Amino acid sequence: MIEKEKLVNIVGAGNVSDDQATLDAYSRDISFITAMKPSCVVKAANADQIQNIMKLANETRTPLVPVSSGPPHFRGDTVPGIGGAVVVDLSGMKKIILVDRPRRVAMVEPGVTFGELIPAAEKEGLRLNMPLLPRQSKSVVGSILEREPVIMPKYQWDISDPLACTGIFFGSGDEFRTGQAAGPGTIEEQWAVGGLQKAPYGPGTASWHRLIQGAQGTMGLVTWASMRCELLPSLEEPFVVGSAKIGTLLDLTSWLIRLRMVNECFILNNTNLAAIFAEKWPADYQALKDALPEWILFYTVAGYEFKPEDRVNAYLKDITDLTQRLGMEPAKAVGGLSANEILKAVRKTSREPYWKLRGKGACQDVFFLTINDQVQGQIETMDELADRSGYAISDMGAYIQPIVQGTSCHCEFNLFYDPRNSREVERVQELTISATRGLMARGAFFSRPYGETAGMILNRDAASVAVLGKFKKIFDPNNIMNPGKVCF
Amino acid sequence: MALSKEIYAAFQDVVGEENICDDPVIMPSYHSTEHAAVILPGNTAEVQAIVRLCNKYKLKMRAVCTGWTGMFPPGIVYLDLRRMNRIIEINEKNMYAVVEPYVITAQLQAELMKRGLHMNVKGAGANCAAMLRGHGHLDQTTSGDDRNHLAIEWVTPEGNIVKSGSLGSSDEWFCGDGPGPSLRAILTSAVPPGVTPGVFTKAALKIYHWPGPKQFPVQGVSPDYSLSEIPKNMMARYYSFPSVEKMWQAEIRLGENEIAFELMGFNVAMVAANIAKNNEEEEVLFKKLSQEVQGPGFFVILAGNSAADFEYKKMALEQIVKDAGGKSLKSIEDPRTEGIIMCQCVRISASIRETFRPGGAFSSIPVMGQRDLTIRWAVGAGKAKMPLIEKGLIVDDGGGFFGWGVEQGHLGKTEIFCKFDPQNPEAKAAVEAWSKEQSARAFNERYFAVLMGPVDQMGPGLSNFHLWWKKIQQAIDPNGISPEAGALV
Amino acid sequence: MGLEQYKGDMEMCCRCSACKFIPLQKVAGFQFANVCPSISRFNFHSYSGGGRVNIGAAMLKDGFKYSDKLLHIVYNCQVCGACGVSCNYAMDMEVTEPIQQFRIKCVEDGKTSPALDKVIAGLRQQGSMVPVAGKRGDWASGLNLKNAAREKVDVLYHVGCLTSYDKNMQKLARATAKILQKAGVNFGIAGDAETCCGGRAYQMGYKEDFLNQAKKNMAMIKEAGVKTVVTACADGYQAFKVLYDQYGLKGNLEVLHISECIDSLVQSGKLKLSRKVDLAVTYHDPCRLGRLGEPWIHWEGKKKPGDRFVFDPPKIYRRGSHGVYEPPRNVLKSIPGLKFGEMTRIKEYSWCCGAGGGVSDSNPEFAGWTAQERLEEARSTGAEAIVTACPWCERTFNEAVQGSGSNLKVYDIVELVEQAIQ
């Protein structure tokens, strides 16, 4: 265990907390993860401090738990998995290092939130390919490292997008820069010749960034990340298509993405859309939900610098051919909710309180990857399991996000519940487990294993886990980085 | 370094008598190297058995597809993957295809095109493995490098079968990443150094929409093919620009507006090479085209998903080029030339004519990354070719370099090569010196690192990646049976 | 100079593997992408065109070391020329010639196949590449054909060994003769005096025997004062048209394949194809009528010093562009009622029937395998029959059909034309 004094020497007294209230706050989150108090919480401000903390942690075999976002946390990955851990809170590292329009790249420290980066990018005519309505305290770097699904599948060429490069201290304490950032030269020297840290592969033939993403902080501590940005369109036309049949929406989605005609593109059920847009609870929520069809596809057609109206018109013509063939009618509004309103909302973070918490105060997400033509079956399975557990299907949110240019779909069920109601808590906890098991049996791929279900997810692929174990020994030989998470 | 009778018999038990050979007579056709044996496994189980035997008998092995490139030390067990040539699945709705190593790009692409789909065609050519990690002319819209792989089936150097992503957990091919961190970090194959130890036995690849015909309407007799008509809603042009800056201006604008299906920054020597049907014609054509171009340029293929889409893209292309002072090369406007070059660039990537035809060898420095940065370096490297051209040591290509946009200009590729006669020792030495100098300049001036050189020297300047890679190699290959692997080409 | 003259070509091989496949822009799917029967069957790279020239280059450099494996590689090759066509789409280098010269060198060094030795023994004794039964001219009895040695004729119809002696093939000779008669062509045959053209012997590597036969044939032709030879055998066509020219023996002799003849006769109205033949067919291009039937180019020159593999004077490569492809197709398309569909591997990148290079004698199982691949391709077009223009192709296909129990019919083009004329 690291002596408190040594930590104070590194970060200053005001940045080391071991009072009960602080420890309590970091010992649990909204998920069902077993609570575990850290020994203290350290707020780091820069790479030097981080490196020194890690040196100490290695010397004393003290577990470190990295945290980049502010609360509330949902996944359990920021709660220590083992006693005696030091939480390294990077949420105060708020430097937006650069936003570069010509190379379409931004570079930020871990504490920068979407709310902070979005306007900075907009100033340069850029935007992020971001997740759906992240909470205000959500770290951009955190989101990207978690491989959170993004709402513009057209611009996600690879599942690691929008991540470009990272600066990391591996668990061993060694500094490493992934991708183009690795070198030659320091970052500043690269900038001096016009190099921006954009290309993600390498150094060498490995793609080291892939080892860091999805690792839940078990490989090291990231001190900055660069990410590709997209252009702000000159013209945007958002649309919605409502249907009781998700199958037809999925067909349309598949073609819209395949033909690269749309930017934002996702499907929400009425529960979720109502949860996002209801102003007053419960009256507005119920009225909106009742007015909406069961499933709503949202997409945007955009034009950029060159004759955007012509670009958009050409797309709209082709989309009309498509929708006519499929027997659908895109609209500018559905259930009284305008597509423009939706677009406006999804370009930003969720307003407070976070939309998933507004209804009942808590939410457990069950999410996985699947493919377009299996989504309907997975939904049916989830409905069945929810029903069996006594969870009202009509209360469950659903979010279907095509990713990686349509090669797969992020499928997410949002189980809203009242955390003060022990019966609801128990029900949702059990449903999370039974749903994970049941959906896996139907081919769902839980690529991001969190919390109580992580074990059963990873048990399905012992061979990959064995290899990951070898990597872990290399990059974090003393197992100080977030022990107990993923398969470590 | 022949195998003992006992060991030979052990391998023979796995693959059968017909599929193993250690006769010295075949070695000249296997990179002129005395391998311990050449073995042809037929499936993953056989690969696994072979790898396990290599561990048992402490033999080094390399797995190779068509084997266009590669240097091998003597005495290895050479796995020729020719018999593993099945297309496992083409999933049209979910846009991926699954192949074994020896399915060549030409085969997979032809099957995809029948279905209104296509794939990234690597610059190595459609004669090479479809699952190759590589980059090529179509990267603008079909990405490149390791970004097209989804799930991969991998026989590790210890002889375990590891399936990445959804394949390992759910027996599905659509995702290669997870659970947790992604094994795709190291499941990558390329020209050495740094090829993943072990053997890839199957891979899923991202595929893309193809708005063109099910088959290009190729007519004529080799080598004089042409298209009977330019496919609907498609067009190909070559544009030259007054300067590199203007060319880049047009290139990036086309990327940002998502106009080109293919944007291939050929230099005029390569245009000539691709059109010409023999070396003499190439020389004459190069001289002719050099007079017609005003500077550096690029080749563009437009492919509209519909008439409306095509009209927009055509209008945008013409205006963007005009704004940058670009000029269309008349030779490509001739539909006969336009058609066959379009077909060649989509279906073959045309690289044999560009590279090997003149002298039998070429030495290249390729780099994937930030295009505007690498172009700046390449201009200098091109100037450094001129003395070699003047001395007649390398083919005169005007000191040209080339490259292309990747993912609508987000990334890019730049490459520069020297074509020369490998039997000419002076030429060989000059080219080697040029390559060394330019690679060193790239490193010292902080452009990028060329990793085909002394990795131990460069590694420290690149986060010591080479040491981490060594650790990974040791961890996954404790018996050292699969060191620096052969190219999966 | 033999193999030595191709040293530079063999060293040019960059191991791109194009030689294993049909020209890449012609690949139409997963199936039927392979063009080299040898590597398709045996899989080791050594069996491909590129592999063979790699070995040739190495042996020139390090000496010729013969082994059973080497001979297996050498003799399991139809010398069909497909590798060269695919290579020469992009590369300027000889491929088929060095492969042929390597074969000749093996024979010169006494490294022969016993089965082929037996065939050649027959050739030396009886002027035939097939077992002799009866007299060579027996097939013509009762037809009252002119004897070219005794009567003045414009055209010599060279029948060929297989067609003359094989009871199942003699119908082709009779059909050919009937067609020529119908069209009023002033032709004759050599009858019993006909001797083998030597073409297959050359393919097998027996160059001296080929030259002996060539000289005999040209002497006969000169003696008879004939200006034109017509043959219905692709091997014969290549021999007279290309090989005799290559070795300076052909002179001004005009050489035509029967399909060229018929095409010309139909176009000029001298032959009318008016009877309906109700059949769905596909056409197999024989290697030696197609890509290897391309006229020889006499060239001599020296490599220019410098960075390119170029010559002074410039070398013009035979890339398979000028084989006989359209005349057989024109003929088939003129037959009323015939439904014609193409296979994937056609013309200059046709898949060999399996018989070339002596393989049907030395390695019949491999020949049969090759033919089966072709028949599968023919069946895939929906054709009821595969039509060819060479008795060796027809025989090989017939054997394969019998072996597989398939109901695909096999015809020579002359058989269908015979059906179509009144």
Side-chain angles (χ1 to χ4, degrees):
Chain A
M1 187 121 110
I2 305 175
E3 288 163 30
K4 184 178 171 181
E5 214 172 281
K6 290 198 172 152
L7 289 170
V8 168
N9 287 340
I10 296 171
V11 299
N15 292 315
V16 182
S17 313
D18 60 357
D19 60 282
Q20 282 314 303
T22 305
L23 297 184
D24 216 53
Y26 284 85
S27 69
R28 56 174 55 77
D29 69 8
I30 288 186
S31 77
F32 301 116
I33 198 83
T34 308
M36 178 76 68
K37 268 205 190 119
S39 65
C40 70
V41 177
V42 173
K43 291 205 157 148
N46 56 53
D48 281 341
Q49 289 182 0
I50 291 168
Q51 188 168 34
N52 287 326
I53 293 167
M54 292 185 77
K55 187 162 179 282
L56 279 176
N58 270 294
E59 282 165 8
T60 58
R61 304 286 195 270
T62 303
L64 298 178
V65 179
V67 175
S68 309
S69 304
H73 299 277
F74 285 80
R75 305 281 178 244
D77 54 330
T78 55
V79 172
I82 194 173
V86 169
V87 168
V88 183
D89 190 329
L90 309 172
S91 62
M93 290 176 67
K94 287 203 170 286
K95 215 191 304 179
I96 297 175
I97 302 166
L98 62 85
V99 177
D100 185 272
R101 163 65 183 88
R103 270 66 59 110
R104 294 178 275 175
V105 65
M107 192 180 201
V108 301
E109 287 188 335
V112 174
T113 62
F114 284 98
E116 288 157 353
L117 185 52
I118 289 168
E122 264 176 25
K123 238 176 53 192
E124 301 295 326
L126 293 174
R127 58 186 299 190
L128 305 175
N129 195 355
M130 50 185 274
L132 179 69
L133 291 164
R135 67 180 189 274
Q136 289 196 6
S137 57
K138 184 71 189 178
S139 147
V140 176
V141 173
S143 170
I144 291 174
L145 292 182
E146 286 168 49
R147 290 199 309 255
E148 284 199 324
V150 290
I151 61 175
M152 294 194 289
K154 175 182 179 182
Y155 295 123
Q156 191 181 32
W157 298 78
D158 181 276
I159 204 168
S160 62
D161 289 346
L163 181 62
C165 308
T166 66
I168 185 173
F169 287 101
F170 284 131
S172 59
D174 293 294
E175 194 180 358
F176 195 93
R177 300 197 295 267
T178 67
Q180 187 181 343
T186 62
I187 301 282
E188 290 76 16
E189 284 172 340
Q190 292 167 29
W191 289 341
V193 294
L196 273 297
Q197 291 66 39
K198 182 75 184 281
Y201 16 69
T205 49
S207 285
W208 308 89
H209 63 293
R210 299 188 194 282
L211 214 49
I212 300 164
Q213 279 182 306
Q216 299 174 29
T218 56
M219 293 292 168
L221 265 159
V222 171
T223 56
W224 59 264
S226 58
M227 59 219 61
R228 69 165 56 183
C229 299
E230 307 301 333
L231 299 175
L232 276 175
S234 306
L235 177 63
E236 285 176 292
E237 289 279 1
F239 291 92
V240 283
V241 185
S243 178
K245 296 197 197 113
I246 193 170
T248 33
L249 293 183
L250 289 166
D251 280 343
L252 175 58
T253 304
S254 147
W255 278 102
L256 291 174
I257 296 170
R258 173 170 165 162
L259 297 174
R260 301 282 186 272
M261 295 195 285
V262 300
N263 288 2
E264 288 85 352
C265 184
F266 53 82
I267 297 173
L268 292 168
N269 72 351
N270 52 7
T271 302
N272 268 350
L273 207 49
I276 292 166
F277 286 98
E279 297 279 334
K280 294 196 195 82
W281 287 76
D284 273 5
Y285 165 76
Q286 198 55 53
L288 182 51
K289 187 168 161 178
D290 290 343
L292 289 168
E294 192 181 343
W295 297 100
I296 302 97
L297 163 65
F298 172 80
Y299 64 84
T300 320
V301 178
Y304 293 97
E305 171 254 331
F306 187 84
K307 303 214 175 164
E309 300 84 3
D310 292 351
R311 173 71 281 181
V312 167
N313 286 338
Y315 279 147
L316 291 181
K317 185 174 181 307
D318 290 343
I319 291 174
T320 304
D321 288 343
L322 191 55
T323 51
Q324 277 175 359
R325 227 179 343 129
L326 294 170
M328 279 182 266
E329 222 175 296
K332 291 306 253 171
V334 65
L337 189 58
S338 85
N340 278 310
E341 243 180 290
I342 300 175
L343 177 61
K344 202 158 157 228
V346 300
R347 296 281 290 277
K348 295 186 164 60
T349 59
S350 163
R351 53 187 169 78
E352 289 290 285
Y354 180 45
W355 69 272
K356 291 184 184 177
L357 304 179
R358 282 178 216 155
K360 290 199 161 189
C363 179
Q364 174 72 9
D365 299 330
V366 174
F367 55 84
F368 53 90
L369 297 182
T370 185
I371 42 179
N372 183 296
D373 49 8
Q374 286 184 13
V375 168
Q376 195 160 4
Q378 308 287 17
I379 293 171
E380 284 161 13
T381 299
M382 187 63 184
D383 283 351
E384 212 179 286
L385 292 164
D387 197 40
R388 226 185 280 163
S389 78
Y391 187 96
I393 295 168
S394 59
D395 285 351
M396 184 165 63
Y399 164 42
I400 312 298
Q401 179 61 66
I403 60 169
V404 195
Q405 296 183 327
T407 55
S408 52
C409 272
H410 166 91
C411 189
E412 179 176 316
F413 299 106
N414 311 104
L415 305 174
F416 305 107
Y417 67 97
D418 181 352
R420 297 158 304 182
N421 184 324
S422 57
R423 253 209 347 254
E424 285 193 27
V425 169
E426 210 179 291
R427 181 180 299 136
V428 168
Q429 195 171 5
E430 273 168 18
L431 177 55
T432 302
I433 295 170
S434 66
T436 304
R437 197 175 283 125
L439 290 163
M440 276 202 298
R442 278 208 68 150
F445 174 46
F446 284 78
S447 64
R448 300 159 54 203
Y450 293 105
E452 293 181 300
T453 55
M456 78 168 83
I457 291 166
L458 291 153
N459 281 338
R460 285 181 75 97
D461 192 359
S464 293
V465 166
V467 180
L468 288 175
K470 292 181 199 259
F471 294 162
K472 175 73 167 169
K473 283 205 178 80
I474 291 168
F475 294 101
D476 184 24
N478 295 320
N479 196 21
I480 61 164
M481 295 308 308
N482 218 355
K485 303 301 171 195
V486 197
C487 49
F488 305 122
Chain B
M1 255 152 282
L3 299 175
S4 73
K5 275 207 179 91
E6 181 205 347
I7 297 176
Y8 189 97
F11 285 117
Q12 188 171 289
D13 286 340
V14 174
V15 294
E17 196 190 331
E18 265 203 354
N19 297 310
I20 177 172
C21 183
D22 64 355
D23 192 314
V25 79
I26 70 167
M27 303 307 168
S29 65
Y30 281 96
H31 318 276
S32 301
T33 305
E34 295 300 317
H35 306 297
V38 176
I39 305 182
L40 300 162
N43 53 49
T44 303
E46 289 183 10
V47 170
Q48 183 179 37
I50 291 166
V51 170
R52 286 187 168 158
L53 285 173
C54 287
N55 274 281
K56 180 176 174 187
Y57 295 115
K58 305 280 185 284
L59 296 165
K60 294 197 191 326
M61 55 137 267
R62 305 271 175 96
V64 186
C65 293
T66 61
W68 192 357
T69 65
M71 277 180 359
F72 306 85
I76 59 153
V77 172
Y78 184 112
L79 263 62
D80 181 337
L81 299 177
R82 179 166 166 102
R83 292 174 62 220
M84 296 178 66
N85 65 353
R86 295 177 302 146
I87 296 176
I88 306 294
E89 181 185 351
I90 294 174
N91 192 318
E92 296 172 49
K93 182 88 179 277
N94 301 291
M95 309 290 281
Y96 66 82
V98 185
V99 292
E100 286 188 326
Y102 213 99
V103 174
I104 63 167
T105 296
Q107 286 175 295
L108 180 58
Q109 191 190 41
E111 288 295 337
L112 294 175
M113 284 173 68
K114 287 185 215 174
R115 295 160 168 82
L117 296 161
H118 79 115
M119 59 182 284
N120 176 263
V121 178
K122 269 64 77 173
N127 42 307
C128 298
M131 70 150 70
L132 164 71
R133 169 212 172 131
H135 38 254
H137 301 189
L138 296 173
D139 285 8
Q140 186 77 328
T141 51
T142 64
S143 191
D145 266 288
D146 69 336
R147 293 165 63 77
N148 276 318
H149 289 115
L150 300 168
I152 295 175
E153 181 184 85
W154 172 43
V155 176
T156 72
E158 291 179 284
N160 297 317
I161 298 175
V162 174
K163 302 177 184 184
S164 74
S166 56
L167 191 64
S169 299
S170 326
D171 207 26
E172 295 271 358
W173 288 97
F174 62 84
C175 178
D177 308 86
S182 176
L183 294 183
R184 279 179 66 213
I186 66 150
L187 293 184
T188 177
S189 65
V191 178
V195 183
T196 310
V199 187
F200 299 142
T201 46
K202 295 185 186 73
L205 310 170
K206 270 178 84 192
I207 56 182
Y208 299 84
H209 181 72
W210 168 244
K214 290 194 196 303
Q215 233 182 318
F216 276 106
V218 181
Q219 61 181 12
V221 181
S222 179
D224 197 12
Y225 291 129
S226 63
L227 298 190
S228 57
E229 59 178 5
I230 303 292
K232 203 171 63 160
N233 299 327
M234 292 187 70
M235 182 174 99
R237 288 290 184 269
Y238 184 85
Y239 299 103
S240 67
F241 295 86
S243 65
V244 169
E245 290 71 31
K246 288 286 184 189
M247 180 194 79
W248 170 244
Q249 216 177 73
E251 184 177 321
I252 192 61
R253 225 176 135 202
L254 287 170
E256 290 185 356
N257 284 288
E258 300 170 13
I259 302 304
F261 173 75
E262 170 174 318
L263 190 145
M264 174 56 188
F266 281 137
N267 55 53
V268 75
M270 296 166 85
V271 178
N274 282 316
I275 298 173
K277 298 183 284 295
N278 59 62
N279 277 322
E280 286 80 12
E281 202 182 306
E282 182 183 328
E283 221 171 341
V284 168
L285 193 56
F286 169 57
K287 287 195 178 95
K288 174 173 180 283
L289 297 181
S290 298
Q291 301 305 314
E292 289 179 26
V293 297
Q294 52 178 337
F298 51 67
F299 174 76
V300 169
I301 298 178
L302 293 186
N305 290 329
S306 66
D309 188 42
F310 178 68
E311 282 315 310
Y312 171 77
K313 285 172 172 165
K314 188 157 176 276
M315 170 180 58
L317 172 68
E318 285 165 359
Q319 188 60 51
I320 288 172
V321 163
K322 184 166 175 223
D323 290 347
K327 195 171 83 164
S328 169
L329 190 59
K330 288 274 170 269
S331 302
I332 304 287
E333 287 179 16
D334 167 14
R336 199 186 149 80
T337 308
E338 178 192 6
I340 197 55
I341 294 301
M342 178 196 291
C343 173
Q344 213 159 273
C345 285
V346 173
R347 294 263 17 235
I348 306 178
S349 99
S351 66
I352 305 173
R353 284 183 176 182
E354 291 164 12
T355 52
F356 286 98
R357 179 170 62 191
F362 72 106
S363 174
S364 162
I365 305 175
V367 55
M368 289 291 276
Q370 185 188 329
R371 177 107 163 102
D372 60 317
L373 179 70
T374 52
I375 286 176
R376 241 176 289 132
W377 164 85
V379 169
K383 289 196 176 114
K385 273 163 69 170
M386 298 313 292
L388 278 74
I389 291 171
E390 278 149 27
K391 288 195 191 123
L393 295 170
I394 64 174
V395 173
D396 182 5
D397 62 357
F401 60 87
F402 66 102
W404 54 77
V406 176
E407 296 171 13
Q408 299 296 9
H410 264 289
L411 297 166
K413 155 76 185 290
T414 298
E415 187 170 342
I416 183 166
F417 55 54
C418 294
K419 291 185 279 195
F420 66 103
D421 176 3
Q423 308 299 325
N424 177 341
E426 197 193 345
K428 196 160 177 257
V431 170
E432 272 166 16
W434 167 85
S435 180
K436 235 180 169 157
E437 270 158 31
Q438 295 309 310
S439 303
R441 186 173 69 86
F443 195 90
N444 295 331
E445 293 178 18
R446 308 305 191 215
Y447 288 107
F448 57 87
V450 177
L451 293 170
M452 293 173 308
V455 172
D456 286 346
Q457 280 175 35
M458 283 190 288
L462 296 164
S463 292
N464 280 317
F465 80 94
H466 63 309
L467 299 178
W468 294 107
W469 183 252
K470 266 203 185 89
K471 287 186 185 170
I472 287 177
Q473 277 185 304
Q474 279 158 4
I476 62 178
D477 186 12
N479 290 325
I481 66 136
S482 182
E484 281 319 322
L488 198 74
V489 174
Chain C
M1 268 221 294
L3 192 63
E4 177 63 46
Q5 68 188 299
Y6 298 110
K7 176 173 179 294
D9 301 86
M10 293 191 287
E11 286 167 354
M12 276 291 283
C13 175
C14 61
R15 212 183 187 278
C16 71
S17 291
C19 53
K20 302 171 186 168
F21 307 103
I22 66 176
L24 298 170
Q25 63 270 65
K26 290 290 196 166
V27 171
F30 175 72
Q31 266 196 309
F32 314 131
N34 291 314
V35 83
C36 170
S38 191
I39 190 176
S40 299
R41 170 70 183 83
F42 297 105
N43 290 309
F44 286 93
H45 187 80
S46 323
Y47 288 84
S48 67
R52 291 170 191 282
V53 304
N54 295 153
I55 292 173
M59 296 223 165
L60 273 183
K61 195 164 133 242
D62 303 324
F64 284 77
K65 297 175 193 107
Y66 292 100
S67 66
D68 286 347
K69 185 65 182 179
L70 176 63
L71 297 181
H72 190 270
I73 293 168
V74 169
Y75 286 102
N76 277 295
C77 169
Q78 285 96 354
V79 201
C80 73
C83 50
V85 166
S86 290
C87 174
N88 292 158
Y89 173 76
M91 291 292 283
D92 288 354
M93 56 182 268
E94 296 285 0
V95 180
T96 310
E97 283 305 309
I99 291 173
Q100 177 69 73
Q101 291 301 324
F102 198 99
R103 179 72 80 96
I104 290 170
K105 170 121 182 87
C106 288
V107 171
E108 282 169 0
D109 288 350
K111 305 294 174 189
T112 55
S113 151
L116 298 185
D117 284 341
K118 197 162 163 220
V119 170
I120 295 298
L123 174 69
R124 287 171 189 162
Q125 282 156 24
Q126 293 173 300
S128 167
M129 294 295 282
V130 301
V132 163
K135 294 214 179 101
R136 191 155 179 134
D138 280 351
W139 66 271
S141 57
L143 295 183
N144 285 324
L145 301 179
K146 288 183 185 172
N147 185 321
R150 281 187 243 125
E151 300 173 63
K152 188 90 184 62
V153 292
D154 295 331
V155 172
L156 170 67
Y157 167 37
H158 179 90
V159 183
C161 309
L162 181 59
T163 311
S164 299
Y165 287 113
D166 187 319
K167 294 267 184 284
N168 295 321
M169 291 292 145
Q170 286 170 344
K171 59 182 174 174
L172 302 188
R174 286 191 281 272
T176 306
K178 185 173 169 188
I179 291 164
L180 292 172
Q181 278 176 323
K182 188 82 184 182
V185 176
N186 179 13
F187 78 99
I189 60 171
D192 293 348
E194 185 185 278
T195 188
C196 179
C197 64
R200 279 185 76 76
Y202 188 80
Q203 294 169 34
M204 293 175 185
Y206 295 82
K207 180 175 151 190
E208 288 310 311
D209 292 279
F210 154 73
L211 285 171
N212 289 339
Q213 292 301 121
K215 286 169 188 158
K216 280 183 196 160
N217 273 286
M218 287 313 296
M220 258 200 341
I221 285 166
K222 193 174 171 199
E223 175 80 27
V226 152
K227 297 283 180 273
T228 303
V229 162
V230 167
T231 177
C233 172
D235 285 354
Y237 179 79
Q238 190 210 16
F240 283 105
K241 176 110 184 184
V242 182
L243 299 177
Y244 287 19
D245 193 7
Q246 182 176 351
Y247 286 93
L249 301 168
K250 180 172 155 292
N252 291 326
L253 181 68
E254 185 190 27
V255 181
L256 294 171
H257 185 265
I258 190 63
S259 61
E260 293 180 286
C261 224
I262 297 171
D263 183 30
S264 168
L265 292 170
V266 167
Q267 290 200 35
S268 62
K270 291 188 179 141
L271 190 67
K272 289 193 188 354
L273 307 181
S274 46
R275 268 164 111 202
K276 227 169 152 228
V277 179
D278 238 317
L279 195 61
V281 307
T282 189
Y283 175 67
H284 164 84
D285 291 273
C287 307
R288 286 165 172 79
L289 178 61
R291 56 179 166 258
L292 294 177
E294 188 172 41
W296 185 254
I297 296 173
H298 288 279
W299 172 88
E300 240 180 73
K302 266 194 148 83
K303 182 188 175 301
K304 278 179 166 173
D307 47 32
R308 291 177 185 247
F309 191 63
V310 291
F311 295 85
D312 184 24
K315 183 169 190 191
I316 301 168
Y317 289 85
R318 297 167 67 236
R319 302 177 200 259
S321 319
H322 304 293
V324 176
Y325 304 120
E326 296 309 322
R329 286 172 168 80
N330 294 340
V331 169
L332 289 172
K333 286 171 190 170
S334 338
I335 297 177
L338 208 67
K339 290 167 272 301
F340 182 84
E342 294 276 18
M343 290 183 278
T344 302
R345 296 176 290 193
I346 59 172
K347 300 188 185 178
E348 73 276 19
Y349 52 95
S350 172
W351 174 268
C352 180
C353 71
V359 171
S360 47
D361 295 299
S362 62
N363 304 79
E365 187 235 66
F366 173 43
W369 178 90
T370 306
Q372 289 293 1
E373 293 286 308
R374 191 51 153 171
L375 296 182
E376 190 190 332
E377 188 177 0
R379 278 191 292 270
S380 76
T381 66
E384 297 165 84
I386 183 170
V387 183
T388 183
C390 175
W392 293 96
C393 297
E394 180 167 344
R395 186 179 83 163
T396 311
F397 290 144
N398 273 327
E399 282 168 1
V401 162
Q402 279 155 31
S404 69
S406 152
N407 59 1
L408 187 71
K409 298 188 187 70
V410 182
Y411 290 107
D412 189 287
I413 200 167
V414 297
E415 295 177 83
L416 296 182
V417 170
E418 186 191 18
Q419 286 183 40
I421 59 179
Q422 279 184 331

